[in-house]
Amino acid sequence: MQVSSGQRRHVAGRHAALAIALGACLLAPAASAQQSSPSSAELLAPVNVTVTGSRIRGTDVETAQPVFTLDRQAIRATGLTSLRDIIARLPSAGTPEVTPQDTLSSSGDAGGRYANLRNLGAVRTLVLVNGRRWTTSLGGLTDISTIPVSIVERIEVLKDGASSIYGSDAIGGVVNIITTDRFEGATADVQYGVNGHGDGAQKNGTFTWGKSTQNASIILGASYEDGDDLRDVKRSLTASPDGPRHADSGFGMGPYGGVIDPRSPGTAYVINHAGGVVGDTANLANYHPYDVDSNADKYATTRDMTFRAGSKLRNLFGTGRYNLTDDITLRGMASYGVRDTHWQAAGYPLESGSGRGDPLVIDANNAYNPFPGYDTSFFRRLTEIPRITWAKSKTMHLDGGAEGTFQWGEHTWNWDVTYAYSEARASRTTSGNIDLDHARKALGATTTVDGRLACADAADRAAGCVPWNILAGPGGTPDAVWNYVTSTGTSHQTTRTNDVIANLTGGVLDLPAGTLRVAGGIEHRNETGRYTPYPADSAGLTTQLASAPTAGGYIANEAYVELDVPLLADLPLAHELAVNVSSRYSHYSAFGGRTNDKYSFRWKPFDDLLLRGTYAEGFRAPTVADLYAGTSESFESFLDPCDSAYGAAAGNAAVAARCVASGVPASYRQTDQSGAQINSATGGQNPNAFSAGANPALKPESSITRTAGLVYSPSQIDGLDVTLDYYKVDIEDVITPILAGDILNFCYVGNDPAYCGRFTRATNGTITSLDESLANLGSLRTEGYDLGLHYRFPVTHFGEFALLSDSTYLKDYTQVSSPGAAPRHLAGYMDGVQGLYRVRSNLSLDWSLKRFGATWTVRYFSGLNDSCWSADVECNRPEKVNALTGATGISHKGGVAFHDAQLRWQAPWNGSFRVGINNVFARKGPLFYNVSAAGGGSPPYNPAYDVDRYFYVGYQQRF
């Protein structure tokens, strides 16, 4: 909520609300700075503002939407250096679709940082910079790591639908990042932080310089951020695939050569490897039978996995303003950022089936074959060459325009015209994959040339072929072979946005209750994008997940109008009553036109109490990738409901009957990539790749947002502010890639035949193919409450104190897969990537005295429902049905609270020191077996939780 200049306690309440929500809580020092004379390096505050969520401009306009603001001093107080991490501290913020822990993702968005409001997804959270759209990826995600913290004056977060003002994507809310506008002097800021385990160090440095005169200003800035990666093996929470409670579970294909006896299909052997030493691989006597239920021949992939990707970020920024006349100002802005991210996955689990349509085999005439005369199938994880990915993103944003004022009658009008160009270029280079053509040749027939073993085909030898003893295990493959059989490929992605915007706002006429104001504007936006995969990967010639090229775009032409009408003022029980109405028409070349309206009111029955409410229509247009992306592959982890031991069929006769009727054997057991039967309700990763693709016939998602709330600042208790807001968001025609587990559950548990044609099975029940392509299906609803309690104590001899609390209660989060399908009520569940907490709450105490200050913050996450490990292990609610899977049995995990502390000292030479600890008590959150490996990162740890105690120290110098 933005309040009038005359309601200063409401302003303080608004700042306090977000400060506690983000764990910042430096309200007292911030207030003191505002009351004192600005130093030469402080910002010059504007006198006429536009509030996020409204285009109507003025110094005395209050809005009916809940808008929260975080200033730069509060940002520094978090000890965080990423805007995404700072915004994630908001209790109403969820975990985005892609996180820094997403080390198995094949998405072009991997490595970026994204914001997710109301748990509705980053694609439904609109990110603005100075009220204008920032560049997005092909998938519709805005990487906010490309916006340097050093240029941020404040962050405004609108937790309300705003499509009638801003257009597409503003369903979950709007994050508006306001950059520095006027600056005098120079400021340098450095910070260093490190995890308690001694890894994951974060190094940051920023420099900002500005010069202002009466008619002009210029600001230049640069920032550097260097974050080391975290490794799974470094800590017990992630050192084992299924966590410390099941340290011997979840192992995958092992690093030593295994073969399938061609004389007895289904019989497998593994080369002996006592003490890591391997004998003659051509002698079957050196092998032993492979036991799928034993870890002796398996491997914990977490030994080689990155838990959190490392990254480096460099940014340059410049902005300038020039008063052409007293009423016209020219302005421009330029930003360029480069982000380098790297992460590692375990070596590829190579097997005969990896050859796609043409299986890889050890040739019958290969000297290393333990079954001479037979083509022999094999399996082995290539631990010597982990798959390493380097991602580089270059983001450029340029905008220029003019703004001004003019008088129309007795009212001042504001106008602005802007042209903005954004471009994002990204590349991903991945090593450690296998060139399938070269692998076939290296595993082919051999001969002896000059006393040395060589590939039998002379043409292959001339092209570099070297025989590969795939069964030798770690250390048994020479570099010459790796150089021949491995593949390193690079893919490229480019998105461009050309945007022209014009706005006009001002007063129309004076009514008895105040001035009727209006705003209107037009926008023309052209979005284009292209993705070019490495040709060999795209053609399926390597073990890298195949994906087809993407190319396309659309044009959007939009116009809006907004009206703010004061109805009553200065009357009994009507100190103020006003309504705001806005409407926006959007026409997209991809799907046509649509209109979205919004209605809101604000009512002050008396000066201390503000009541507010909104009804807003919204939409999310399909992205370039949604419409035009080529088919891609992924290896999914899921629980098959037809599994006779852990799936829904084990306890639901109707499900079991449907499985049998579809041809699945009654005793069917799901197997993982190692060939072992799954041993818990967490399921396993499928050995066959599934496919997903775009849908050019997609239509937009539609939403309805309802909010109602109050702000109470009792005059009898100076310094107290109470905010309470109710929200409800309904989304229809959800654009979604339907994941494997959901497709299977919808088919067998939900008995929805629309999904049963999306997959095929072998005669033994194993799923051989599955289509996860996009569709407009079903609906999504979220409903809850936000509560803020903020009290600034009277000033004492011991300093100034502020006690702040901000909480969100999630009443409902319901997904419906398709019309007529049974709803899934997921509030209180761990849902793959994000936890849908019933309660998230921050409580903070801030203290300041002269040059000193301190803040203590507690961040609380309530407990979540998770899948049981098994019917009698980690299953404290065995009688309840799991809303995610449909199986019987829930494991409820308790809540957790993280404590943060910071100390500050203002030096007399215009310097300031800060030192802090996040997660002071090194708390560890509970483990969740529903955490997704693709998106979330490293199961079973929740990516929203702190993983360690984190120490940091920072210094700022003003010149």
Side-chain angles (χ1 to χ4, degrees):
M1 181 195 72
Q2 170 70 34
V3 297
S4 64
S5 58
Q7 302 295 324
R8 294 187 178 178
R9 291 191 305 110
H10 284 176
V11 172
R14 186 190 70 188
H15 280 266
L18 186 62
I20 176 58
L22 302 182
C25 313
L26 282 184
L27 275 298
S32 298
Q34 292 167 359
Q35 293 165 3
S36 62
S37 300
S39 69
S40 61
E42 288 180 335
L43 304 182
L44 306 179
V47 296
N48 205 7
V49 297
T50 300
V51 182
T52 302
S54 173
R55 292 290 190 184
I56 292 177
R57 189 168 184 173
T59 58
D60 59 347
V61 177
E62 294 184 277
T63 66
Q65 299 91 355
V67 178
F68 297 97
T69 301
L70 179 71
D71 62 21
R72 58 168 55 213
Q73 194 166 10
I75 291 172
R76 284 203 305 274
T78 65
L80 303 171
T81 55
S82 164
L83 288 180
R84 181 264 162 190
D85 293 336
I86 294 167
I87 294 169
R89 293 288 184 93
L90 194 70
S92 58
T95 304
E97 297 89 316
V98 179
T99 76
Q101 287 92 275
D102 190 4
T103 56
L104 287 179
S105 174
S106 59
S107 167
D109 295 314
R113 307 291 190 268
Y114 310 101
N116 170 17
L117 296 179
R118 298 291 188 211
N119 301 299
L120 293 176
V123 292
R124 301 187 186 98
T125 298
L126 178 61
V127 176
L128 307 174
V129 176
N130 298 323
R132 295 179 286 276
R133 289 173 179 266
W134 202 247
T135 184
T136 61
S137 69
L138 290 178
L141 299 181
T142 301
D143 183 2
I144 56 179
S145 73
T146 61
I147 306 169
V149 176
S150 61
I151 69 171
V152 177
E153 178 182 345
R154 66 184 186 277
I155 303 171
E156 294 183 349
V157 179
L158 169 66
K159 298 184 295 180
D160 193 358
S163 287
S164 64
I165 300 298
Y166 301 115
S168 176
D169 307 337
I171 291 179
V174 178
V175 175
N176 191 9
I177 299 166
I178 310 299
T179 63
T180 300
D181 184 61
R182 295 178 67 84
F183 196 88
E184 187 68 30
T187 297
D189 192 289
V190 294
Q191 181 167 305
Y192 177 81
V194 66
N195 281 298
H197 277 73
D199 59 352
Q202 299 280 329
K203 299 175 282 292
N204 300 82
T206 66
F207 180 81
T208 306
W209 172 86
K211 179 65 177 177
S212 297
T213 66
Q214 183 176 358
N215 292 320
S217 69
I218 184 172
I219 302 169
L220 300 175
S223 66
Y224 175 80
E225 176 182 327
D226 187 357
D228 295 341
D229 60 15
L230 299 178
R231 296 297 182 106
D232 276 335
V233 73
K234 185 78 174 183
R235 43 194 51 79
S236 62
L237 283 171
T238 54
S240 299
D242 287 330
R245 292 197 182 104
H246 305 279
D248 295 328
S249 177
F251 282 46
M253 186 182 294
Y256 293 95
V259 290
I260 308 298
D261 192 336
R263 306 162 304 180
S264 178
T267 302
Y269 299 93
V270 174
I271 188 75
N272 297 333
H273 46 87
V277 178
V278 175
D280 181 8
T281 61
N283 185 353
L284 190 60
N286 291 328
Y287 290 74
H288 61 270
Y290 176 49
D291 182 359
V292 297
D293 296 321
S294 169
N295 285 337
D297 299 320
K298 295 184 180 181
Y299 191 75
T301 56
T302 46
R303 298 176 189 175
D304 300 325
M305 299 285 286
T306 303
F307 173 74
R308 188 186 72 195
S311 66
K312 290 184 179 179
L313 180 67
R314 289 88 71 198
N315 283 98
L316 295 174
F317 169 80
T319 184
R321 298 175 64 88
Y322 178 73
N323 296 334
L324 190 64
T325 70
D326 290 341
D327 299 321
I328 300 177
T329 299
L330 303 179
R331 52 176 168 74
M333 169 182 166
S335 176
Y336 181 75
V338 179
R339 173 177 50 79
D340 290 293
T341 310
H342 63 274
W343 62 91
Q344 178 174 300
Y348 194 85
L350 191 67
E351 57 180 338
S352 291
S354 302
R356 303 184 187 277
D358 185 8
L360 293 173
V361 294
I362 304 174
D363 192 271
N365 297 310
N366 186 291
Y368 299 120
N369 192 338
F371 300 100
Y374 295 91
D375 287 345
T376 302
S377 297
F378 68 92
F379 54 94
R380 191 205 142 193
R381 183 176 295 277
L382 309 179
T383 54
E384 304 101 307
I385 49 168
R387 289 164 288 173
I388 301 175
T389 299
W390 299 269
K392 181 181 286 290
S393 174
K394 299 179 180 179
T395 302
M396 178 175 64
H397 177 90
L398 303 170
D399 68 57
E403 61 185 35
T405 62
F406 64 89
Q407 290 295 124
W408 186 27
E410 297 181 355
H411 301 103
T412 299
W413 284 68
N414 298 87
W415 59 270
D416 63 85
V417 178
T418 303
Y419 167 72
Y421 175 79
S422 294
E423 178 180 289
R425 293 179 176 269
S427 63
R428 295 178 71 236
T429 300
T430 301
S431 66
N433 283 293
I434 298 300
D435 183 311
L436 295 176
D437 180 59
H438 284 188
R440 288 189 184 93
K441 294 175 180 179
L443 296 169
T446 59
T447 188
T448 302
V449 177
D450 297 331
R452 302 180 63 180
L453 200 64
C455 298
D457 188 284
D460 291 342
R461 289 200 306 273
C465 180
V466 184
W468 187 9
N469 185 3
I470 183 65
L471 304 174
T477 301
D479 289 343
V481 177
W482 288 127
N483 292 337
Y484 179 67
V485 301
T486 56
S487 170
T488 298
T490 300
S491 62
H492 300 273
Q493 175 178 293
T494 301
T495 59
R496 294 186 178 93
T497 301
N498 285 275
D499 202 359
V500 180
I501 311 166
N503 299 293
L504 178 67
T505 178
V508 178
L509 58 92
D510 293 326
L511 301 175
T515 301
L516 186 152
R517 290 184 172 90
V518 66
I522 57 175
E523 180 173 0
H524 171 82
R525 190 169 74 256
N526 186 355
E527 301 270 3
T528 59
R530 179 181 297 275
Y531 169 71
T532 305
Y534 183 58
D537 295 343
S538 180
L541 301 179
T542 74
T543 54
Q544 175 71 303
L545 296 172
S547 59
T550 298
Y554 58 79
I555 295 174
N557 292 304
E558 302 177 279
Y560 78 93
V561 63
E562 179 184 5
L563 194 66
D564 192 83
V565 185
L567 301 178
L568 299 174
D570 300 324
L571 296 175
L573 297 181
H575 183 79
E576 179 186 1
L577 177 62
V579 296
N580 184 282
V581 180
S582 57
S583 181
R584 187 181 188 98
Y585 175 76
S586 304
H587 185 276
Y588 280 69
S589 59
F591 56 81
R594 62 182 299 123
T595 300
N596 293 277
D597 301 323
K598 183 172 183 176
Y599 310 91
S600 60
F601 76 90
R602 60 187 184 277
W603 172 35
K604 284 186 177 181
F606 48 91
D607 190 43
D608 293 349
L609 177 65
L610 171 68
L611 303 177
R612 60 194 180 193
T614 64
Y615 174 91
E617 299 170 346
F619 78 107
R620 181 175 82 85
T623 66
V624 172
D626 291 340
L627 296 167
Y628 308 115
T631 301
S632 61
E633 294 181 321
S634 65
F635 288 95
E636 297 291 342
S637 294
F638 62 95
L639 173 65
D640 193 330
C642 291
D643 182 85
S644 58
Y646 298 101
N652 188 319
V655 173
R658 293 181 196 122
C659 292
V660 172
S662 67
V664 181
S667 59
Y668 163 72
R669 291 300 315 283
Q670 180 183 353
T671 57
D672 60 21
Q673 284 194 336
S674 71
Q677 296 176 349
I678 63 171
N679 60 3
S680 77
T682 61
Q685 190 174 38
N686 200 60
N688 301 311
F690 296 155
S691 64
N695 182 353
L698 288 172
K699 59 184 180 180
E701 297 179 344
S702 300
S703 69
I704 298 294
T705 299
R706 303 170 180 86
T707 68
L710 62 84
V711 179
Y712 181 51
S713 301
S715 55
Q716 301 89 344
I717 309 176
D718 188 35
L720 175 65
D721 295 281
V722 180
T723 61
L724 176 64
D725 287 286
Y726 164 81
Y727 68 89
K728 182 178 181 182
V729 183
D730 288 284
I731 306 175
E732 301 289 339
D733 299 321
V734 172
I735 300 172
T736 179
I738 314 174
L739 300 181
D742 289 336
I743 289 173
L744 296 171
N745 285 322
F746 295 154
C747 173
Y748 295 109
V749 180
N751 195 25
D752 189 341
Y755 295 93
C756 299
R758 279 182 169 252
F759 58 90
T760 60
R761 292 182 182 268
T763 55
N764 65 355
T766 300
I767 298 174
T768 55
S769 67
L770 187 143
D771 178 14
E772 297 179 316
S773 294
L774 296 168
N776 287 108
L777 284 174
S779 62
L780 176 62
R781 167 181 291 181
T782 184
E783 182 180 9
Y785 300 88
D786 295 329
L787 174 65
L789 301 171
H790 319 116
Y791 181 57
R792 187 187 306 277
F793 292 84
V795 178
T796 71
H797 293 295
F798 303 101
E800 298 180 57
F801 295 87
L803 184 64
L804 312 167
S805 172
D806 196 69
S807 306
T808 291
Y809 172 74
L810 182 62
K811 178 183 178 182
D812 183 29
Y813 194 94
T814 299
Q815 292 179 341
V816 178
S817 62
S818 60
R824 296 195 300 172
H825 302 287
L826 302 180
Y829 275 81
M830 167 51 71
D831 180 18
V833 175
Q834 64 180 347
L836 300 172
Y837 313 96
R838 288 287 188 180
V839 176
R840 275 194 64 182
S841 183
N842 292 344
L843 176 66
S844 184
L845 177 65
D846 182 78
W847 165 80
S848 63
L849 177 63
K850 297 181 180 178
R851 295 185 177 273
F852 294 91
T855 305
W856 187 279
T857 301
V858 182
R859 297 173 282 120
Y860 173 74
F861 300 78
S862 65
L864 294 170
N865 292 327
D866 190 28
S867 292
C868 296
W869 177 261
S870 65
D872 54 359
V873 176
E874 290 190 69
C875 194
N876 51 22
R877 299 181 182 180
E879 74 288 349
K880 290 194 173 183
V881 175
N882 188 317
L884 272 172
T885 65
T888 301
I890 288 175
S891 178
H892 182 76
K893 310 294 176 63
V896 61
F898 300 99
H899 296 251
D900 306 328
Q902 185 185 83
L903 297 174
R904 308 176 298 277
W905 179 60
Q906 183 70 42
W909 55 83
N910 285 332
S912 60
F913 293 88
R914 59 190 182 275
V915 60
I917 305 175
N918 290 344
N919 193 11
V920 173
F921 302 113
R923 287 296 308 272
K924 308 296 183 185
L927 305 178
F928 296 97
Y929 303 113
N930 277 342
V931 172
S932 170
S938 300
Y941 202 65
N942 183 346
Y945 291 160
D946 293 31
V947 67
D948 280 324
R949 184 185 287 116
Y950 179 76
F951 304 88
Y952 65 90
V953 59
Y955 177 74
Q956 182 187 80
Q957 178 64 55
R958 293 179 174 179
F959 304 95

